[in-house]
Amino acid sequence: MEEIDRRIVTLLATDGRMSFTDLAKETGLSVSAVHQRVRRLEKRGVIRGYAALVDYDEIGLPMTAFVSIKPIDPSAPDDAPERLSHLTAIEACHSVAGDESYILKVRVASPLALEELLQQIRASANVSTRTTVVLSTPYDYRSPVIEKEPEEDAAG
């Protein structure tokens, strides 16, 4: 990835609503050149979309937890993500190495809602769970640091 594209991605990851005019000022490119580069980054899948960062306390979902799951029957099909996709309180599902198969990030309104969600997860996917409740989040949604690829360092 070219240095200028890394800069554009970093700027948009920090502020997804940054205008093409502001991107042009920050990168030293023309507005049309920035527009073309952003569209190309979108087409390549480097930029997958844009989203609003939500204050979950304000929308009634103040409790975040990480739920590690592993199948009760290790010989059963590995289809937990599909079996859990209907549970909208699950914000993210990560396949992981280690004792558990997946770690789920969930957001709920209360401890009671978390307890009910855990029952739904266990019943839907036939898994055991281990839960870690988040007490606070000092930072989240950090912008990526996009390093130069080794070939680029050698090429200039």
Side-chain angles (χ1 to χ4, degrees):
M1 179 182 293
E2 294 178 38
E3 179 63 33
I4 196 73
D5 289 340
R6 279 195 292 277
R7 179 79 177 129
I8 290 169
V9 170
T10 300
L11 289 166
L12 287 173
T14 302
D15 179 2
R17 295 183 65 173
M18 184 175 274
S19 70
F20 291 124
T21 302
D22 289 341
L23 283 169
K25 286 177 188 172
E26 291 288 329
T27 60
L29 296 173
S30 69
V31 173
S32 64
V34 166
H35 187 264
Q36 288 175 344
R37 284 182 177 267
V38 169
R39 293 293 173 243
R40 187 176 39 196
L41 290 164
E42 290 170 344
K43 188 173 182 179
R44 285 179 37 209
V46 174
I47 298 173
R48 298 183 324 184
Y50 304 88
L53 300 180
V54 175
D55 183 331
Y56 287 95
D57 290 344
E58 291 296 321
I59 63 168
L61 297 172
M63 183 175 233
T64 303
F66 291 96
V67 181
S68 300
I69 64 172
K70 66 180 177 179
I72 291 174
D73 177 4
S75 66
D78 184 11
D79 59 356
E82 294 82 13
R83 291 170 151 232
L84 298 172
S85 63
H86 70 283
L87 298 174
T88 58
I90 300 174
E91 181 178 306
C93 175
H94 304 277
S95 176
V96 296
D99 212 21
E100 286 87 8
S101 300
Y102 296 92
I103 295 178
L104 313 174
K105 181 179 182 181
V106 304
R107 294 194 190 263
V108 293
S110 66
L112 178 60
L114 178 59
E115 184 176 22
E116 291 169 354
L117 177 63
L118 292 172
Q119 290 171 353
Q120 292 174 322
I121 289 170
R122 291 182 195 119
S124 296
N126 196 29
V127 293
S128 62
T129 62
R130 184 174 57 84
T131 303
T132 302
V133 173
V134 174
L135 299 177
S136 69
T137 304
Y139 51 84
D140 200 0
Y141 301 109
R142 294 176 81 175
S143 298
V145 175
I146 306 170
E147 305 273 334
K148 286 185 178 181
E149 297 173 6
E151 311 84 59
E152 288 184 37
D153 287 335

